[in-house]
Amino acid sequence: MSVTLEAESTLTDRYQTTVPETVRRALRLGKRDKIHYTIRTSGEVVLTRVDAAEADDPVLGQFLDFLARDIASHPERLQAIDVAFVQRLQSLTGGIEVDLDTPLSADDE
């Protein structure tokens, strides 16, 4: 007889949730791991772990881990972004529309 585990979590105002510990253990999820949702026509949602081979660039992951460790180790180094810098960035990028769902061309990959 198979054992069924159940867990629930609550959505925040920003539609975020914490993956319950029982689910994290069952899927062997760690920090920064990716999860995949399969939505069936019945409305059932299946949650699976994305294999490392399918995950993002490992170099980027290592860089982001480095940043997270550095920020945790040296929070005094964090600085607010200068308003003039933000305005300069907006002047350089204003009016540029980007569709993040559009696939990259072969030249852009």
Side-chain angles (χ1 to χ4, degrees), residues 58-100:
V59 175
L60 178 61
Q62 290 175 1
F63 176 69
L64 294 174
D65 289 341
F66 163 76
L67 287 178
R69 285 191 312 271
D70 190 60
I71 290 170
S73 298
H74 303 285
E76 72 280 2
R77 294 181 184 168
L78 293 177
Q79 297 178 11
I81 296 176
D82 183 70
V83 174
F85 180 67
V86 172
Q87 291 171 341
R88 175 75 174 134
L89 289 176
Q90 289 172 337
S91 73
L92 293 170
T93 59
I96 297 175
E97 294 186 29
V98 177
D99 183 355
L100 298 176

Side-chain angles (χ1 to χ4, degrees), residues 47-65:
L47 180 73
T48 53
R49 181 180 190 270
V50 175
D51 290 332
E54 300 174 36
D56 287 337
D57 181 351
V59 175
L60 178 61
Q62 290 175 1
F63 176 69
L64 294 174
D65 289 341

Side-chain angles (χ1 to χ4, degrees), residues 9-47:
S9 62
T10 303
L11 287 176
T12 67
D13 291 338
R14 295 182 60 200
Y15 297 100
Q16 296 174 336
T17 189
T18 299
V19 177
E21 181 182 1
T22 54
V23 176
R24 292 193 311 265
R25 279 189 305 201
L27 296 178
R28 296 179 322 278
L29 291 171
K31 291 181 179 178
R32 309 218 42 91
D33 281 346
K34 292 197 175 273
I35 52 179
H36 176 80
Y37 300 89
T38 302
I39 304 169
R40 298 187 174 158
T41 55
S42 65
E44 182 181 45
V45 177
V46 179
L47 180 73

